[in-house]
Amino acid sequence: MLPGHSATASGHRGGSRRSQVTLIRDHQACIPLTRILGDGDIVVLLTPVVPPVKSDVGNGNDPFEPFGRALASRHPWIRHVPYTSRNGLTSTHVGFIKRAKTVIFVISGLPSAGQSSQVEIGLMARMVGEERPQIIVACQSVHDLGLLEANFPTIVQLPGYAPSDLQAAAAVLFGETTATGSTGLDVQSLMIEPKFWPPENWDGLNVAPVHDLWNQCLPEQFHLEKFPLQSLLQRDGYAMHFIVRLPENREVVGFCATYTTFVDREGERLIGSLAMIIVKPAYRRRGIGLSLYEHALKQLKRIRGVDRIQLGSTFPRLLSGIPAASASESWFRRRGWQMDGQAPGRGQDICDWILKIDDWPSGGLSASAGLTFRQGTFDDFTLIADFIEKESTRKDHTGWYDQYMNLANDGRINDIVLGLEHSEIIASALIYTPNEASSLAQDLPWARTIGSDVGGVACICIADGNPAMTTSKDTIMIRLLDACITILKEQGMRRVFLDAVKGGYEGFQSMGFQKWAIYRDLWQKI
């Protein structure tokens, strides 16, 4: 079946009702499924929990049961697992996806107010599935859903999710119908010619429309309450944000957040952070995101001292980069951002991690001669400042020096945990709890969104190239984390959030950490 063409299929084998199914694209060449499936290969069917279509209101069944049955009649190894917009992907879904040969993900429509986008849940399913083929079955216009710009390689469009539509889709997926081409969907006809939309400076006075847009566009794990979002966005002096409104009713349909952050102690060099671009799904592919992007870049480059632009933000932390395996990847590639991972700033993974403290193997850690860990004191101030300045500059940790100094200047120097070999600082980290008023806790929102029992560890710094060090960096990292976790546990925390870490996947997983989010680290010099 050719992308952009449609097929008509009977509503059931031998039936007379006919329904149009359109293959928008199939970059994976996985349709028909008989091409890639063998006996025993599991196909996971993920469908949303939604009300039935009107004609089936009285039966109370899952409206996607006919789809599961139709697929299973052709391939017995179908595993039908519903998902909800509220809970998104759970460990149950992840387990099924990891055992599957292929994933079929159904999107029924746009989210209602307060719901997560099924498109974003589909992107998360694709990330979990890694290299497994994933087929998106859209039960609504792909244009209305914003799917044409999403990074899904195979998309099938249905007119709805009536049983006849779903049975027709099953026939197409297994190659029992062929493209007619005569009534096919012209994908180009769905696209509205992009144009320039003049961005406006956002004054920050009315956060409600931006808050609604934020929670509509981002996966549920990144949803924020109104006041925390307002606190993150309203940073006088180093935040500039922009919006795009519809001319006819002034509705906010696009938002872009930017910040500037000092790179060095002298305050002469700055990094410009293009922290977030979001566009209401129904208005994507019209040039709104591009208009915000180009305007924001122009404004950041005008600021004296800015010599680098990054995607994502440092402090305050919205996202550490663009979410991995999201539609944003291909969008930014088309704007010249390299993501080959071959050099700093070119798409290396950054991870946020979560740990249940009860899973931390603290009892098995052995002491190292001459190595001690403790909270900082004011007598350590000068040594801490020198250590962080040197190491953060060496490792290009933008904004870290300011975070350490802010805690010290706020009288919270005991939130700095130090590792010392004899009397020399060789490692450090910052800790915080979600209900604190510390500047760090206010800049890093995700621990408190996860739960009130989640403490945080951030800005982990371990000395490089110190000939006096006699202990391996891995040992120092484990012992430093153990000290941080012990302190947070004493403060009543039951889980620990580890923010924006590069590398060390196997090590963190072996110690009980689970990945919470993955981002691409992207920046360019200007």
Side-chain angles (χ1 to χ4, degrees), residues 308-370:
R308 182 190 302 182
I309 302 293
Q310 74 166 136
L311 302 182
S313 61
T314 51
F315 303 100
R317 180 92 73 218
L318 300 186
L319 303 182
S320 296
I322 64 172
S326 70
S328 301
E329 286 191 4
S330 59
W331 195 92
F332 282 104
R333 279 195 183 98
R334 295 196 297 272
R335 270 86 211 163
W337 291 86
Q338 298 186 53
M339 301 186 195
D340 55 16
Q342 299 302 306
R346 287 169 59 167
Q348 295 93 333
D349 283 356
I350 305 175
C351 267
D352 293 338
W353 298 86
I354 188 78
L355 168 80
K356 292 181 180 178
I357 290 180
D358 288 344
D359 292 340
W360 177 252
S362 57
L365 300 181
S366 58
S368 302

Side-chain angles (χ1 to χ4, degrees), residues 48-53 56 59-67 80 161-163 166:
V49 176
V50 294
V53 293
D56 293 333
N59 65 22
N61 292 334
D62 178 348
F64 293 102
E65 277 189 15
F67 194 24
H80 183 186
Y161 54 90
L166 299 171

Side-chain angles (χ1 to χ4, degrees), residues 193-270:
E193 184 68 24
K195 66 176 184 178
F196 177 76
W197 299 69
E200 305 172 17
N201 290 337
W202 183 61
D203 58 18
L205 297 179
N206 183 11
V207 75
V210 172
H211 176 252
D212 291 343
L213 189 62
W214 178 284
N215 286 344
Q216 183 179 151
C217 294
L218 293 177
E220 188 171 5
Q221 72 184 114
F222 297 121
H223 286 191
L224 289 167
E225 297 294 333
K226 190 180 299 183
F227 178 76
L229 178 61
Q230 187 171 20
S231 175
L232 289 166
L233 295 177
Q234 292 182 342
R235 301 300 177 100
D236 292 343
Y238 60 97
M240 294 188 303
H241 310 316
F242 311 102
I243 56 174
V244 163
R245 297 180 183 271
L246 293 180
E248 58 269 25
N249 60 11
R250 305 294 290 162
E251 178 188 0
V252 175
V253 293
F255 175 75
C256 175
T258 73
Y259 302 91
T260 51
T261 306
F262 289 117
V263 174
D264 54 12
R265 188 174 187 173
E266 289 74 24
E268 295 179 357
R269 294 175 54 228
L270 294 165

Side-chain angles (χ1 to χ4, degrees), residues 432-434 447 451-457 488 493-498:
Y432 60 96
T433 57
S452 60
D453 63 347
V454 182
V457 180
L488 290 170
M493 300 295 102
R494 299 177 62 187
R495 292 177 287 174
V496 172
F497 184 79
L498 199 57

Side-chain angles (χ1 to χ4, degrees), residues 394-426:
R394 187 203 306 267
K395 298 172 183 175
D396 205 26
H397 292 323
T398 303
W400 285 27
Y401 179 83
D402 284 349
Q403 291 299 320
Y404 276 83
M405 292 303 99
N406 287 342
L407 287 179
N409 292 330
D410 291 344
R412 306 188 66 95
I413 202 165
N414 62 340
D415 288 345
I416 302 173
V417 179
L418 302 176
L420 301 99
E421 193 160 48
H422 304 295
S423 60
E424 183 176 359
I425 298 175
I426 59 169

Side-chain angles (χ1 to χ4, degrees), residues 480-491:
L480 179 64
L481 284 174
D482 184 60
C484 295
I485 291 167
T486 299
I487 295 167
L488 290 170
K489 184 176 182 180
E490 291 172 351
Q491 295 176 354

Side-chain angles (χ1 to χ4, degrees), residues 387-399:
F387 173 75
I388 293 301
E389 180 186 21
K390 180 175 68 174
E391 294 300 328
S392 63
T393 300
R394 187 203 306 267
K395 298 172 183 175
D396 205 26
H397 292 323
T398 303

